[in-house]
Amino acid sequence: MIEKEEIMDRLLIAVPSYKDRYERYIQENYELGEAKLIYVDISDFVKHVIECYQRKNTDEFDALFEVIEELHTNGDSFVKEFATVGILESLQNQLSDKKIEYSEIEKCLKPESKRWWNHVIDYWNGKTPYIGGPIKEQS
């Protein structure tokens, strides 16, 4: 079971090009020993991912989207929700801000991540009353 403390380590292994930037980000935004706010911090990570996409530097995307899938399938309840609300929703928001079509990232998503990606879209389109939590199968 993947826990909250493992998230950034896994993302940094998948996207080593972010490591130096992340270290600078932490130095600029936190005092030594201060608790990190992962829901805030993920925004900078997602910005980096989108910048990589814009530069057509997508070599790390297979590993990244595999980690996002693992967070969805093997994470504890916090990690699963973070993978959706923290990572996927941040991606969607920042893609919209940059006028990049969702389909450009959707093709990278693995099955469970794609399911939650669509669930976030459904939420914002008023088709479901919540983002987090288990998706109930349609009967």
Side-chain angles (χ1 to χ4, degrees):
M1 182 94 23
I2 302 169
E3 297 177 349
K4 175 183 178 180
E5 297 73 27
E6 300 173 64
I7 295 171
M8 282 311 299
D9 289 340
R10 288 174 180 262
L11 291 173
L12 289 169
I13 290 168
V15 185
S17 64
Y18 181 65
K19 188 172 193 268
D20 290 340
R21 178 174 169 166
Y22 180 64
E23 289 171 2
R24 282 190 311 276
Y25 172 86
I26 294 301
Q27 287 176 351
E28 293 169 3
N29 291 281
Y30 291 100
E31 298 294 326
L32 188 60
E34 185 179 3
K36 293 175 183 66
L37 304 171
I38 194 163
Y39 271 92
V40 174
D41 301 342
I42 200 64
S43 181
D44 189 64
F45 175 80
V46 169
K47 184 176 181 180
H48 173 77
V49 169
I50 291 173
E51 288 169 359
C52 288
Y53 171 79
Q54 290 175 311
R55 291 190 308 268
K56 299 188 183 338
N57 182 9
T58 58
D59 296 348
E60 299 168 327
F61 277 29
D62 285 342
L64 167 61
F65 287 98
E66 189 59 45
V67 167
I68 294 171
E69 184 75 357
E70 288 174 7
L71 298 177
H72 276 112
T73 58
N74 299 322
D76 64 19
S77 60
F78 176 91
V79 170
K80 288 178 179 181
E81 187 168 317
F82 179 78
T84 300
V85 178
I87 301 172
L88 297 182
E89 188 175 22
S90 289
L91 264 169
Q92 289 177 358
N93 289 336
Q94 291 191 38
L95 287 170
S96 292
D97 291 347
K98 298 287 186 183
K99 308 285 190 259
I100 299 170
E101 294 294 323
Y102 285 176
S103 60
E104 296 300 312
I105 296 299
E106 285 176 350
K107 60 188 169 193
C108 301
L109 295 169
K110 308 295 184 211
E112 190 66 11
S113 301
K114 176 79 160 98
R115 182 175 180 217
W116 283 102
W117 175 271
N118 289 330
H119 192 71
V120 172
I121 292 169
D122 287 347
Y123 171 78
W124 286 111
N125 288 330
K127 294 179 182 177
T128 186
Y130 62 90
I131 293 178
I135 296 176
K136 298 207 172 28
E137 293 296 326
Q138 300 288 334
S139 40

